Amino acid sequence: MCADLSRTARTLLVCERSSFLDEKNRISSQVEQLRFNYKVSVLLPACSSSSSPLDSILNRFSSFYLIKKLPIYDLLDKDFLHNAVYQGSVYGLSFRTRIDEDNCVALMPNGRLVLSLDKDTFEMLGFEGRPSRFNNKTCSRFVVPVDLTDSSMAPGGRGYLRLLKVLRSHLNLQMDFLISHHPGGRATLQPLLSRYVWSEHRPEVSHRSLSNLVCPDLQSCDPLSLLEWLGAVDADVSCENLSSSFLSTLTCPEPKTTLSQALSVSICGLLLPQDVQQLVEQLRCYLQQTQKESWASVTVHGFTDSPVSWGDHEHGVLTRGENFYNLLMFQDHTYRLHLATGAHDACPL
Amino acid sequence: MESKMKPDGEKAEPPGYQRVVLKNASPHHYLKVRLLLEVESTRVSAVELKRFIVSCLRGLHGEVGAALEVDVLKYDEETLSALLRVHSRGLVKLWSSLTLQGSYQNQACAFRVLQVSPFLLALTGNSRDLHLD
């Protein structure tokens, strides 16, 4: 029997419409869901880089830190737990580790430590875990979730001592680690940073001015066409092709208008949800101050190799590894929110 | 979804909440690919790349495969990397034909499929491109 070549892996897109004025809107919690953000792109019509309303808010995005060869057991250091993990929110993610090939570690703001390990590493570790949802036919990947705020994981507790022992003696796992803390920042992380080779990084900002941008009707455009158009703008792909063109037939969805001027800004790094929330609030204020009907688009991409996505749910790559959302805000406080996720990832709430 | 104004000028209640989950609804898939050639200085134009892709499809899947609509959305002649768009039902055919193509104009070649997604927007934010000095 022939395989069905027309089948593809599951795709999932959550489309929401609501208003910021609705008391029940869940934008804040949905922004918080995606903890490890790699890139934020903003598209503003009728705006130029010289008059960008975003510079001040983007410059206030938190710095993040890269620790070289951090032994993972040091994330269980008592002082680090008391001063950083239990106070405020720590965002930590292994750097340059691929979720489908290497061992990956994430430390989440709710105090959960997640280890995504290959089979050999998991067996050497000897700690409780479960098979990954992203295994093919054999169990080659395992996830070890640890709640550091649980009473058994308090410093000196039985679970804490056992995990510390296995991480230190059974498996001296070391990896480059991206880390940030809210609201303490460097001061809170300094004791950990000072023990290793580390560097501070500012998120990288880039601007692109666009002219004569063809734009669909953003209120009525169907979600998939809208996301395709936004992707074309972000990737600098032309949407003005003829149906008879040999190379590309990509066109802007109808009905369409032409914007004489637009600004595309992107910021990359380890970006905190709190900073994204501030950016959304700032854009809402900006929309209220503009003269004519306007809109603003914010796209947030999660880290491809994060072990978790959309809260505490497991994340994998398979062929794609996408976990992003797009928030399209209008001047009347309404918004369209689209959340996209990979093949076996959990559905965003 | 516009807010309606009441006659006395007070703002009406905000529009209701709507949530729709679309499963397997993407009509297209997008691929970020890169062509590696034995002779690195070989120049390949966008039109030549499109012709080559069509020939790859014909080679593995015949005339039916060659009739598959593939759009070259963007192409960089320096790095020989391209963004492609294909109907979702043709993704496996396109991907397999690119993977199994081993020669271009009598020199060895390989297509590296760097990223595949049903969303073009996902191809613009791959954290594996993050480099920190």
Side-chain angles (χ1 to χ4, degrees):
Chain A
M1 182 177 287
C2 293
D4 184 1
L5 298 183
S6 63
R7 284 181 64 184
T8 56
R10 183 203 78 173
T11 65
L12 206 62
L13 180 67
V14 177
C15 312
E16 292 189 358
R17 283 181 184 259
S18 185
S19 168
F20 288 103
L21 301 179
D22 186 348
E23 292 170 354
K24 296 179 185 174
N25 93 73
R26 301 181 300 120
I27 281 290
S28 295
S29 62
Q30 285 165 320
V31 167
E32 290 285 331
Q33 269 189 89
L34 203 58
R35 307 195 202 277
F36 302 104
N37 303 306
Y38 160 63
K39 180 179 177 183
V40 174
S41 300
V42 180
L43 182 63
L44 286 177
C47 193
S48 65
S49 56
S50 59
S51 61
S52 169
L54 301 173
D55 288 341
S56 60
I57 189 71
L58 292 178
N59 289 335
R60 288 204 295 269
F61 266 57
S62 308
S63 295
F64 59 98
Y65 308 90
L66 173 63
I67 304 176
K68 290 284 195 180
K69 293 186 181 173
L70 172 74
I72 297 304
Y73 68 77
D74 213 9
L75 294 175
L76 300 178
D77 176 72
K78 292 177 196 174
D79 292 329
F80 178 71
L81 289 176
H82 282 298
N83 298 327
V85 176
Y86 299 156
Q87 315 286 340
S89 308
V90 178
Y91 295 83
L93 187 63
S94 54
F95 182 57
R96 303 301 256 176
T97 53
R98 298 187 167 216
I99 192 72
D100 49 349
E101 295 175 5
D102 308 315
N103 300 311
C104 299
V105 175
L107 178 58
M108 295 191 282
N110 57 3
R112 283 171 62 90
L113 178 70
V114 176
L115 311 173
S116 177
L117 307 173
D118 58 42
K119 188 167 185 283
D120 291 339
T121 309
F122 175 69
E123 289 176 351
M124 281 173 59
L125 183 68
F127 200 79
E128 294 88 36
R130 63 171 190 268
S132 166
R133 293 177 63 186
F134 295 87
N135 285 310
N136 279 329
K137 294 176 184 174
T138 56
C139 267
S140 60
R141 194 140 198 101
F142 294 84
V143 177
V144 178
V146 179
D147 186 354
L148 296 176
T149 60
D150 189 69
S151 54
S152 65
M153 294 306 299
R158 196 170 63 174
Y160 171 87
L161 290 172
R162 184 152 168 270
L163 180 61
L164 187 62
K165 179 188 170 190
V166 298
L167 282 176
R168 193 175 257 167
S169 57
H170 293 192
L171 186 77
N172 192 4
L173 198 58
Q174 290 186 352
M175 47 186 62
D176 293 350
F177 207 71
L178 291 175
I179 194 165
S180 187
H181 187 272
H182 179 83
R186 180 174 160 179
T188 308
L189 299 173
Q190 187 62 43
L192 179 70
L193 298 175
S194 60
R195 295 198 283 271
Y196 304 101
V197 175
W198 65 277
S199 54
E200 180 175 354
H201 298 269
R202 290 289 305 152
E204 189 181 331
V205 181
S206 59
H207 298 81
R208 199 158 50 97
S209 292
L210 309 169
S211 58
N212 300 320
L213 177 68
V214 183
C215 173
D217 181 351
L218 299 175
Q219 289 279 15
S220 62
C221 187
D222 72 275
L224 295 165
S225 299
L226 175 65
L227 292 184
E228 182 179 65
W229 175 75
L230 286 168
V233 174
D234 214 25
D236 197 18
V237 167
S238 170
C239 288
E240 296 178 73
N241 299 294
L242 298 173
S243 58
S244 58
S245 170
F246 177 68
L247 282 179
S248 172
T249 57
L250 178 69
T251 54
C252 178
E254 298 279 356
K256 56 188 177 187
T257 55
T258 302
L259 300 175
S260 58
Q261 203 176 34
L263 178 65
S264 174
V265 182
S266 66
I267 180 168
C268 297
L270 178 62
L271 310 175
L272 305 187
Q274 290 85 349
D275 292 331
V276 176
Q277 189 66 48
Q278 290 286 323
L279 174 66
V280 169
E281 292 300 321
Q282 184 79 2
L283 286 170
R284 283 188 63 198
C285 292
Y286 168 75
L287 286 175
Q288 298 310 304
Q289 293 163 8
T290 51
Q291 297 294 324
K292 46 190 174 180
E293 274 196 26
S294 190
W295 50 268
S297 165
V298 179
T299 305
V300 181
H301 297 266
F303 270 80
T304 304
D305 295 303
S306 166
V308 294
S309 181
W310 307 117
D312 292 354
H313 296 290
E314 189 184 347
H315 172 66
V317 168
L318 292 181
T319 61
R320 308 179 328 227
E322 69 259 343
N323 50 349
F324 72 89
Y325 64 88
N326 172 263
L327 177 62
L328 186 58
M329 299 177 279
F330 301 98
Q331 205 174 31
D332 60 356
H333 301 284
T334 59
Y335 65 82
R336 296 181 68 177
L337 177 67
H338 300 99
L339 308 110
T341 188
H344 297 306
D345 283 16
C347 183
L349 295 174
Chain B
M1 298 297 291
E2 296 175 355
S3 297
K4 295 181 181 175
M5 299 293 289
K6 289 183 179 175
D8 58 1
E10 292 179 2
K11 282 192 178 173
E13 292 179 357
Y17 171 79
Q18 184 188 69
R19 176 181 165 106
V20 174
V21 179
L22 300 178
K23 187 176 174 184
N24 299 328
S26 296
H28 295 102
H29 269 69
Y30 306 85
L31 298 90
K32 186 186 284 186
V33 302
R34 188 175 174 193
L35 178 61
L36 300 178
L37 295 172
E38 188 176 16
V39 179
E40 292 182 3
S41 58
T42 307
R43 310 292 293 180
V44 181
S45 68
V47 172
E48 287 169 333
L49 179 78
K50 175 74 184 280
R51 286 180 58 189
F52 183 45
I53 292 172
V54 174
S55 71
C56 295
L57 283 163
R58 181 177 289 110
L60 189 62
H61 297 290
E63 291 301 327
V64 172
L68 199 59
E69 284 184 30
V70 177
D71 294 314
V72 179
L73 301 180
K74 190 176 178 184
Y75 178 61
D76 182 356
E77 277 201 38
E78 295 296 318
T79 58
L80 302 185
S81 55
L83 284 180
L84 307 178
R85 181 178 77 158
V86 67
H87 286 290
S88 295
R89 61 180 183 275
L91 172 67
V92 173
K93 285 185 178 173
L94 174 64
W95 196 343
S96 57
S97 60
L98 295 180
T99 301
L100 295 177
Q101 183 64 33
S103 67
Y104 171 74
Q105 293 184 351
N106 297 321
Q107 61 173 301
C109 80
F111 265 107
R112 294 279 184 257
V113 179
L114 303 173
Q115 197 176 356
V116 178
S117 178
F119 309 106
L120 180 56
L121 201 45
L123 300 191
T124 65
N126 190 348
S127 60
R128 292 182 175 181
D129 297 331
L130 179 62
H131 296 283
L132 300 172
D133 297 326

